[in-house]
Amino acid sequence: MTARSTGRRIRPSGGYELFMWYFMRLSGLALVFLAVGHLFIMHILNNVETINYAFVASRWTAPRTGWIWRLWDASLISLAVIHGFNGLRQVLYEYLSAGGRIVAGTVTWALTAVFIGAGGYSILMFQPDEGFIKEHPLKIERTTEISSASAPPASQPISVAR
Amino acid sequence: MPQTPRAPHAYQSGTLARIVDGLRYGGGIGQWSWLAHRLSGLGILFFLIVHITDTFFVVFAPDWYDHTVAIYGGVWFDGHYYWPLRWAFRVAELGLIASVVFHAINGVGVILYDLWPKGSLYRKPILWTVQVAFWGIMLVTTPIVLYPLRKAPDQPAASRPAPPPAGVASVVPGR
Ligand code: HEM
């Protein structure tokens, strides 16, 4: 149950609910970095008018940094989906009786699996469609030239970090 | 800690009665922070579901992906730019940012209260600090997000044939 005057959920006495109570807090700390950082990069440094397929491709397949962005996005999705659906489950439990809780618990965990699966698939299985990128290139010049010391051959001069 | 006492009341069965009871006033800023934390969390979850779905397009339909993001920027399926569409999405985007910023800061406040040994001595100061930090950040962020709306985007995405300039041709090097 929630202690409304302190504005948060009271620590459960044990078991599954206690584990999820800690999970909400620890994943929350990680999400401050992952989610707020993601929003800052995508909505302040860039925005929906510059983001397109070529942008996503350049980010996920950048030669040295691509794996970092994929790891970032995969961690963000996994933690946020579990955290969000578990939060929804906890809210639903407050309003449901025993039978309804079984349904709500099953459905929220099933949706958790579906959305981590879909998100993880997009991020990890992504293969750039070069033809499409040629026809619909990046909309921005926000390209970071790799320093000449570590630069790849001149035919491939551009790395787009974000 | 001052609280608004509320009289005990008879239990009423029924989902509606329980929801109404759940929203009853319980205790000052703690009550409102709790409500805002819950609503922002559920709002972000809804957005996340939409966002995972649209990003799923990148693996099998690049053109769907570009069309979807173009809609967020105000370009409808017919390739025309409609400013109310762009404004609506911008304002919604600001709402998303505000939700995440509030939920994150207030969440850290909750974590401090629960996991920092002295946290429980400072519940009210934490809650007020959350308010100051949230409004401070939004005061800076709101103009940044809304400023581009002052004029239409230079080139609507759909009417852009431009091939990549020489040297930028390979945006995906090293593969
Ligand atoms: C940005 C960093 C975040 C932090 C620091 C954070 C922190 C927290 C904490 C500590 C709780 C537990 C509150 C309690 O036990 O009373 C919570 C609940 C919740 N969070 Fe987050 N969270 C973050 C991001 C997210 C995201 C991205 C989502 C959505 C996908 C989300 C959705 C929820 C929901 C739905 C709840 C349940 C609300 C309730 O029980 O009233 N959170 N969050």
Side-chain angles (χ1 to χ4, degrees), chain A residues 2-9 11 21-22 24-26 28-29 32 35-36 38-39 42-44 46-49 51-54 56-58 60-63 76-77 80-81 83-85 87-88 90-91 94-97 115-119 121-123 125-130 132-139 141 143 152 154-160, chain B residues 1 3 6 15 18-19 21-24 26-27 29-34 37-38 41-42 45 47-53 55-59 61-66 69-70 72-74 86 90 93 96-97 100-101 103-104 106 108 110-111 113-115 123-124 127 141 144-145 148 153 157 160-165 167-175:
Chain A
T2 306
R4 287 189 202 98
S5 55
T6 57
R8 104 297 183 210
R9 197 171 291 273
R11 189 173 178 272
W21 187 89
Y22 275 113
M24 291 304 271
R25 279 147 187 75
L26 295 179
L29 283 181
V32 173
V36 177
H38 177 83
L39 280 190
M42 294 303 176
H43 297 262
I44 307 290
N46 295 283
N47 64 71
V48 290
E49 273 125 44
I51 292 170
N52 62 1
Y53 180 82
V56 177
S58 68
W60 281 348
T61 61
L76 171 56
I77 283 214
V81 168
H83 179 109
F85 276 111
L88 174 63
Q90 292 178 335
V91 173
E94 289 180 15
Y95 297 108
L96 295 172
S97 54
F115 282 99
I116 290 181
Y121 185 86
S122 316
I123 295 164
M125 293 299 164
F126 179 78
Q127 298 275 339
D129 179 338
E130 304 284 2
F132 188 84
I133 294 171
K134 283 225 169 59
E135 281 166 39
H136 307 269
L138 282 174
K139 297 187 198 172
E141 307 305 318
T143 49
S155 60
Q156 306 177 333
I158 300 297
S159 154
V160 183
Chain B
M1 187 179 302
Q3 289 188 6
R6 70 177 194 198
T15 308
R18 261 177 284 164
I19 290 175
D21 184 57
L23 293 175
R24 273 171 58 134
I29 187 177
Q31 157 85 31
W32 296 110
S33 301
W34 166 82
H37 193 79
R38 173 161 292 189
L42 294 175
L45 178 61
F47 164 79
L48 182 60
I49 291 170
V50 175
H51 187 42
I52 291 177
T53 308
T55 305
F56 196 58
F57 295 160
V58 296
V59 281
D63 49 336
W64 287 21
Y65 183 79
D66 275 7
V69 185
Y72 301 157
R86 178 164 176 253
R90 267 293 151 131
E93 187 183 347
L96 170 73
I97 293 172
V100 173
V101 168
H103 192 94
N106 190 62
V108 171
V110 167
I111 294 166
Y113 179 83
D114 279 327
L115 301 183
R123 190 51 182 149
K124 280 288 155 75
L127 287 170
T141 308
I144 297 178
V145 173
R160 173 192 298 254
V168 191
S170 172
V171 287
V172 189
R175 231 176 32 94

Side-chain angles (χ1 to χ4, degrees), chain A residues 65-148:
Chain A
T65 49
W67 69 273
I68 299 178
W69 297 118
R70 290 205 205 212
L71 181 66
W72 180 318
D73 291 348
S75 324
L76 171 56
I77 283 214
S78 314
L79 289 178
V81 168
I82 301 175
H83 179 109
F85 276 111
N86 184 63
L88 174 63
R89 182 189 65 80
Q90 292 178 335
V91 173
L92 291 175
Y93 272 33
E94 289 180 15
Y95 297 108
L96 295 172
S97 54
R101 289 182 178 186
I102 293 174
V103 177
T106 312
V107 170
T108 50
W109 280 112
L111 290 175
T112 303
V114 167
F115 282 99
I116 290 181
Y121 185 86
S122 316
I123 295 164
L124 302 177
M125 293 299 164
F126 179 78
Q127 298 275 339
D129 179 338
E130 304 284 2
F132 188 84
I133 294 171
K134 283 225 169 59
E135 281 166 39
H136 307 269
L138 282 174
K139 297 187 198 172
I140 34 162
E141 307 305 318
R142 182 192 291 284
T143 49
T144 322
E145 215 99 22
I146 297 168
S147 71
S148 53

